[in-house]
Amino acid sequence: MDNRRVKMDSHTNLLQLEEHMYHLVDVETPNVFRNLFPYDEVPKIAFNDRIVPHHMPEEIWITDTTFRDGQQSRAPYTTEQIVTLFDYFHKLGGPNGKIRQSEFFLYSKKDRDAVYKCMERGYKFPEVTSWIRASKKDFELVKDLGMKETGILVSCSDYHIFYKMKMTRKQAMEHYLSVIKECLETGVSPRCHLEDITRADIYGYVIPFCVELMKLMEEYQIPIKVRCCDTMGYGVNYAGAVIPRSVQGIIYGIMTHAGVPSELIEWHGHNDFYKAVSNSTTAWLYGAAGVNCSLFGIGERTGNTPIEAMVFEYAQLRGTLDGMDTTVITEMADYYQREIGYHIPSRTPFVGQNFNVTRAGIHADGLLKNEEIYNIFDTEKFLNRPVLVAVSNTSGLAGIAHWINTYYRLPEEKRLSKDAPLVEMVKNWVDKEYEDGRVTVITDNELIKVIDDCCKKLNYVLV
């Protein structure tokens, strides 16, 4: 007999049948969803056409993992580099704190020095949070540092529970809950990182575990966050896809069946199947208030969701930047390449050298007439990156003058006209290249060298 209550839903004004309570399913053998993840075949995306409603939170934000997950795939940053990047994040997030938090390791003295220096900045946002080993000693360290929150790894797929931890689901849940209680006893708010959630038994383990977390939150009156970690990038945002691969299915289940409020749900995506950005956006659309990102997407294996991508996703979804200063993105890219020595691939959206460079001759012609034809938005306004036209045999004097003026960002009083001697000299070199049989566009590095040589011959200082 079904004894569930029927009650009015205040959002839909429709009678709703009370949801079932979901209890831990303590299986004897791991459920690794071999039908979806056959290791000797490409993973499969299956559908059952169960559709869940949009549930965009009233407020959404970005959190940062540049100094945690972002450092797991590269040489560690120096303390000075961390503090400089943290300053940039503060400026990028703006006065409304759209970049809400930044998480740090606390293992080494260098990590802790960086934390101290960032906290000394006194910024409200990003809030400095930590990632620690699940031990009482480390919880005390978090508290001593004055942090209100820390991340705790609570791997949730049977791949991790059975194969890595050598536990049953019940043993894993009891272990995690005991660690979380220790954290709560110190007065620190735990952020539970549900590792490998897109290969986990959502209703047999994840939701029952989250239900227990909500009970602890009520008991201790301390917020407990849930971070949904798509560790392997298996998540998909297709309507009607089955869990555990369905991003919206996961968020809906945790929010609706486990009772976790939106402001305590966060999505952490990886890009193994090129879906990090779309999956993070989907998490926002279906109820997660936070998306966890790293600068330029640098992170484990193929990387995380890029912060700069979600800044522009936010603007597209909300119709406003809410105070975020997007020109900082270009400053960060310049700093990263100049001071840290990292090469950003030239075609990377928003930050790559060629992201707003038009190369095709027919496109260049249209761009010179009206840049809106082939530029995604006013890149000079939002990124301090004027649109560029690549130089080829069809560029002409006007195209070369445009390239020099925009590439070198010459002020109005120093801009070159198409009849300037420097422009004519560069045009002669370009013409000879194509007369000799060249068929490709001239690269930026080639042009820079030629322009330098021409300036020396003309005794002309360009910048």
Side-chain angles (χ1 to χ4, degrees), residues 205-220:
Y205 182 80
V206 173
I207 289 174
F209 177 59
C210 289
V211 167
E212 295 303 316
L213 293 179
M214 293 301 97
K215 290 178 183 177
L216 287 177
M217 185 169 76
E218 185 175 358
E219 178 184 348
Y220 284 87

Side-chain angles (χ1 to χ4, degrees), residues 12-46:
T12 64
N13 295 314
L14 297 172
L15 290 173
Q16 300 285 329
L17 189 63
E18 188 179 55
E19 297 291 348
H20 282 291
M21 286 297 295
Y22 293 91
H23 301 284
L24 174 70
V25 180
D26 194 26
V27 296
E28 293 185 6
T29 57
N31 178 6
V32 293
F33 297 94
R34 193 58 72 199
N35 54 345
L36 297 177
F37 306 110
Y39 194 62
D40 58 351
E41 298 177 32
V42 176
K44 303 180 190 306
I45 301 171

Side-chain angles (χ1 to χ4, degrees), residues 293-310:
C293 310
S294 71
L295 184 62
F296 311 137
I298 298 169
E300 190 86 354
R301 298 186 317 280
T302 58
N304 303 98
T305 307
I307 278 183
E308 63 276 12
M310 297 314 294

Side-chain angles (χ1 to χ4, degrees), residues 25-304:
V25 180
D26 194 26
V27 296
E28 293 185 6
T29 57
N31 178 6
V32 293
F33 297 94
R34 193 58 72 199
N35 54 345
L36 297 177
F37 306 110
Y39 194 62
D40 58 351
E41 298 177 32
V42 176
K44 303 180 190 306
I45 301 171
F47 293 81
N48 58 11
D49 284 332
R50 293 180 184 172
I51 309 298
V52 300
H54 286 115
H55 196 284
M56 172 77 87
E58 185 175 349
E59 187 178 3
I60 58 175
W61 53 78
I62 297 164
T63 62
D64 165 58
T65 189
T66 298
F67 310 127
R68 202 274 300 175
D69 206 341
Q71 279 202 119
Q72 293 179 172
S73 63
R74 48 153 289 120
Y77 297 108
T78 66
T79 298
E80 182 183 354
Q81 289 168 346
I82 288 175
V83 174
T84 300
L85 291 173
F86 186 74
D87 286 340
Y88 278 130
F89 287 137
H90 170 69
K91 188 177 177 184
L92 174 60
N96 297 316
K98 292 292 102 178
I99 298 181
R100 184 65 58 93
Q101 294 178 313
S102 188
E103 62 180 315
F104 292 73
F105 283 128
L106 298 181
Y107 295 145
S108 70
K109 182 179 182 302
K110 178 185 70 68
D111 293 324
R112 293 190 292 274
D113 285 345
V115 167
Y116 280 122
K117 288 184 179 296
C118 289
M119 293 181 77
E120 284 173 359
R121 289 295 202 256
Y123 301 145
K124 183 177 180 181
F125 299 114
E127 177 189 357
V128 176
T129 70
S130 64
W131 166 269
I132 60 169
R133 293 164 292 220
S135 73
K136 192 156 190 175
K137 181 180 178 182
D138 281 6
F139 294 143
E140 292 291 350
L141 176 62
V142 173
K143 189 174 183 180
D144 291 344
L145 284 167
M147 293 184 176
K148 299 175 182 177
E149 177 183 312
T150 189
I152 301 172
L153 185 64
V154 288
S155 307
C156 62
S157 75
D158 285 354
Y159 287 88
H160 287 256
I161 292 170
F162 281 81
Y163 297 152
K164 186 174 77 172
M165 300 172 64
K166 305 297 183 184
M167 292 182 176
T168 65
R169 290 181 182 177
K170 187 172 187 294
Q171 289 170 336
M173 183 183 289
E174 289 174 348
H175 169 65
Y176 294 150
L177 292 174
S178 68
V179 169
I180 292 161
K181 285 179 184 177
E182 286 189 357
C183 183
L184 293 166
E185 292 287 349
T186 64
V188 173
S189 177
R191 184 180 63 249
C192 299
H193 292 215
L194 289 160
E195 183 183 21
D196 205 25
I197 198 169
T198 48
R199 287 192 298 180
D201 188 335
I202 303 301
Y203 286 91
Y205 182 80
V206 173
I207 289 174
F209 177 59
C210 289
V211 167
E212 295 303 316
L213 293 179
M214 293 301 97
K215 290 178 183 177
L216 287 177
M217 185 169 76
E218 185 175 358
E219 178 184 348
Y220 284 87
Q221 293 296 297
I222 295 174
I224 299 177
K225 287 184 181 174
V226 172
R227 179 179 289 182
C228 305
C229 301
D230 185 15
T231 309
M232 304 296 287
Y234 285 125
V236 297
N237 68 338
Y238 309 135
V242 300
I243 53 173
R245 297 195 69 177
S246 168
V247 175
Q248 49 267 62
I250 291 170
I251 302 299
Y252 177 84
I254 289 174
M255 184 176 60
T256 305
H257 301 311
V260 183
S262 287
E263 63 269 20
L264 298 180
I265 303 175
E266 192 174 57
W267 181 264
H268 171 93
H270 281 261
N271 204 38
D272 297 73
F273 289 90
Y274 282 104
K275 291 183 170 64
V277 172
S278 59
N279 286 343
S280 296
T281 305
T282 299
W284 266 343
L285 288 170
Y286 286 87
V291 293
N292 188 238
C293 310
S294 71
L295 184 62
F296 311 137
I298 298 169
E300 190 86 354
R301 298 186 317 280
T302 58
N304 303 98

